[in-house]
Amino acid sequence: MCPVGGELRKNDVRNTNWMARVQANYTKNVGRDGKHNVSGSAGLELNSQRYDGFNITRRGYHRDRGKLFSSIPQTYTGYYNQFMASANALGVITENLMNSVAWYAMAGYDYDNRYMVNLHIRGEASNLFGSRANDRMMAIWALSGRWNMKQDILRSVDWVDDMALRGSFGYQGNMLSNQTPNMIIRQEADYTGKYGEFRSKVAHYPNPDLRWEKTHSTNLAIESSLLNHRLQVGFEYYYKKTTDAFMDKPISDVNGFSSYVVNSGTVVNKGYNFNITAIPVRTKNIYWSISGSLSKIMNEMKTNPGTEVYDLNSFLNGTAVVKGYPVNTFWSYRFIGLNPENGGPLFDDWSDRKDQLENMDKLSAYTSVLAPSGQRDPNVTGSLNNTFTYKSWKLNIGLYYSLGGKIRQFRVFKNFMGGYSSELNMNRALLQAWSKPGDENITNIPAVMGIQSPGYGDYAHHWSSAYNWRGAKLADNSWDMFDYSDLRVVSADYLKVSSLSLTYEVPLVWLKSYNIKRLAVTLGATNLYTFCDKKLKGQTPTQSGFSEVQLSDTPTYTLGLTVNF
């Protein structure tokens, strides 16, 4: 609520972009029969992108009194500091500039539409890249080829309509836009501080030795159309190896910052894609088409990060990358059961091997105590679509599936240490909480404890959080450990009825007298149902347990009318 007047927000944005390109092309048919085709091109490209922005939010605005502003009394101390003296209230100017120069060339050869080879190469320099001269104009290139098997060796095979084998090998580069070879100082307008002078801050620290992140890519694929185009099948395999990957390296705080981006990682991504389309029935009045796809993704970190790069939360939420494990692998506490005396959660946290943990670095400690629980992202995804047409009626059913992912169930004991509020919802799993000895045989939900409950102190503070512990901190309390334990990890596999639609096309003979070319009515629905692990209990598998509780996916229904004149 504003003490005086209202609020005015103003946001001005101006984008100025220009590009200049000069290119030369060459094409020629070689040979007496004209079956040899040679082509090529080369060019130079200049590009500039400039962004200028200004935004301001002011309170005390009176639109009905000549669009004037009132002065907000400083007696409203908190309000004044937030809405009158903040950066947004004083105005924020944003300027970005990206200039680049690039050269490129392409050469291609084609023989009788059977064999095709192409080579693409490009070099680029930008003010975003490092200052090392040998990296600023690093060339990236790709070599690709295609063999038209139908035209070459399968001409006499009638049931093969088309078949081709293609492949490519390339070398790409990537550079972070927030890294700079020079130190960038941000001059601030606050005239405050001990010496009564304007302040300045380091916006970006220099990183002149940062090199391109380089990726080698290999692709192989085969495409075919068979049986008078009633069956189409495609398969593709890819392999990508990224070297000099960007990683954060912790450094001493005496440098003014705690981490530095370096080229030190190696990541391998590989997988395959398979797709098929079939038309089992194709008559005058009936048409049935089935199409499906499957994608398999596999990745692995080939190098270990620094021993102190990632903290505990990075392992629990899956942002830590560890050698030998897929990217997005998350880790969990090893749950071993409930205490039969008071219902408290028990874990294999190496409490009996503290001497081994005391001198371990963070990486070694977390990978020893925690257990890998799987990937947050699926490694197999795909879809299945069916289309049925009978005269003027058309029915389409779309299914989507996801396999290989894991998900953490929503937390049970969030904010437990601070006490529950009657104004907040609580997880219904608490209805099955341990309440008396013997319950540990029929439930795995810990007891709800208060400060006066027996054994409360044993669970409220983990031994590794003690001030005199010299090793890595493993947890704050046992209830957090329960929420992030392997017990709370379930499969994220699912099959979703993602779309369903029924369309009726009004026959053209009924529309001619009205000068209407098409009239169709469509009833559609999305998110109709999801088949997934029963342990999720209403939590959809696309809702990550690393986030707050969200509403489940709800079905949507639409009714559409299409008219073309």
Side-chain angles (χ1 to χ4, degrees), residues 216-261:
H216 300 78
S217 302
T218 302
N219 292 70
L220 290 173
I222 185 169
E223 302 167 338
S224 63
S225 180
L226 314 171
L227 304 174
N228 193 22
H229 302 290
R230 284 191 171 218
L231 181 63
Q232 299 177 21
V233 181
F235 180 84
E236 178 183 14
Y237 172 82
Y238 64 89
Y239 179 90
K240 295 182 179 181
K241 183 177 182 179
T242 300
T243 57
D244 285 339
F246 302 127
M247 298 186 70
D248 288 328
K249 179 180 180 180
I251 59 177
S252 174
D253 292 341
V254 299
N255 294 282
F257 51 108
S258 58
S259 64
Y260 199 62
V261 178

Side-chain angles (χ1 to χ4, degrees), residues 29-95:
N29 294 330
V30 183
R32 295 181 180 179
D33 52 7
K35 294 183 178 181
H36 299 271
N37 302 307
V38 179
S39 63
S41 64
L44 182 67
E45 181 180 292
L46 302 175
N47 191 17
S48 179
Q49 300 177 15
R50 183 181 181 89
Y51 173 91
D52 296 280
F54 174 76
N55 69 79
I56 188 171
T57 302
R58 292 299 304 269
R59 296 290 180 97
Y61 177 62
H62 299 274
R63 182 180 181 182
D64 57 341
R65 301 184 66 84
K67 298 183 179 180
L68 300 177
F69 288 93
S70 293
S71 177
I72 305 298
Q74 295 191 28
T75 53
Y76 298 96
T77 306
Y79 184 93
Y80 183 88
N81 292 336
Q82 181 178 359
F83 296 110
M84 298 303 295
S86 65
N88 286 336
L90 298 175
V92 178
I93 297 175
T94 304
E95 294 181 346

Side-chain angles (χ1 to χ4, degrees), residues 244-469:
D244 285 339
F246 302 127
M247 298 186 70
D248 288 328
K249 179 180 180 180
I251 59 177
S252 174
D253 292 341
V254 299
N255 294 282
F257 51 108
S258 58
S259 64
Y260 199 62
V261 178
V262 297
N263 301 97
S264 65
T266 300
V267 183
V268 171
N269 289 276
K270 57 185 177 180
Y272 54 84
N273 302 312
F274 175 76
N275 58 78
I276 182 172
T277 299
I279 306 175
V281 180
R282 184 170 59 189
T283 65
K284 180 180 179 180
N285 294 324
I286 301 176
Y287 178 89
W288 177 24
S289 172
I290 304 174
S291 62
S293 65
L294 183 148
S295 297
K296 172 74 173 180
I297 303 172
M298 297 165 280
N299 57 52
E300 183 181 354
M301 188 69 184
K302 292 294 185 179
T303 54
N304 255 333
T307 56
E308 305 294 326
V309 171
Y310 297 110
D311 59 13
L312 177 61
N313 287 331
S314 299
F315 282 86
L316 296 178
N317 62 30
T319 56
V321 289
V322 181
K323 182 180 179 180
Y325 292 93
V327 178
N328 291 324
T329 295
F330 65 97
W331 301 67
S332 303
Y333 298 101
R334 294 181 169 92
F335 178 79
I336 58 177
L338 300 179
N339 189 321
E341 297 180 0
N342 52 37
L346 302 175
F347 306 91
D348 179 11
D349 58 357
W350 283 42
S351 58
D352 56 340
R353 290 158 282 174
K354 295 180 182 179
D355 57 323
Q356 299 180 37
L357 287 172
E358 193 167 14
N359 297 318
M360 281 188 184
D361 55 69
K362 288 183 179 180
L363 177 64
S364 301
Y366 295 147
T367 54
S368 298
V369 175
L370 302 176
S373 297
Q375 293 178 257
R376 295 186 301 170
D377 300 323
N379 55 36
V380 176
T381 59
S383 62
L384 181 64
N385 291 280
N386 276 271
T387 300
F388 304 90
T389 301
Y390 175 71
K391 294 185 178 180
S392 298
W393 293 91
K394 181 179 180 181
L395 176 65
N396 182 271
I397 303 174
L399 306 176
Y400 183 84
Y401 63 89
S402 174
L403 304 172
K406 297 291 184 178
I407 187 173
R408 205 186 296 281
Q409 293 173 283
F410 287 138
R411 299 187 62 179
V412 177
F413 292 97
K414 183 180 179 182
N415 298 326
F416 180 76
M417 292 293 296
Y420 285 130
S421 170
S422 59
E423 298 178 356
L424 299 177
N425 293 327
M426 293 182 288
N427 196 309
R428 68 177 62 187
L430 291 173
L431 297 174
Q432 284 79 46
W434 186 99
S435 60
K436 61 183 184 300
D439 285 351
E440 66 275 5
N441 298 320
I442 59 174
T443 185
N444 51 31
I445 305 299
V448 178
M449 294 184 178
I451 297 178
Q452 304 300 324
S453 300
Y456 176 85
D458 297 333
Y459 306 102
H461 303 285
H462 192 261
W463 56 264
S464 66
S465 63
Y467 73 93
N468 58 349
W469 171 247

Side-chain angles (χ1 to χ4, degrees), residues 85-87 90 187-193 196-201:
S86 65
L90 298 175
Q187 296 177 331
E188 299 188 344
D190 290 341
Y191 193 75
T192 58
E197 298 287 347
F198 288 113
R199 297 185 305 182
S200 296
K201 288 184 178 180

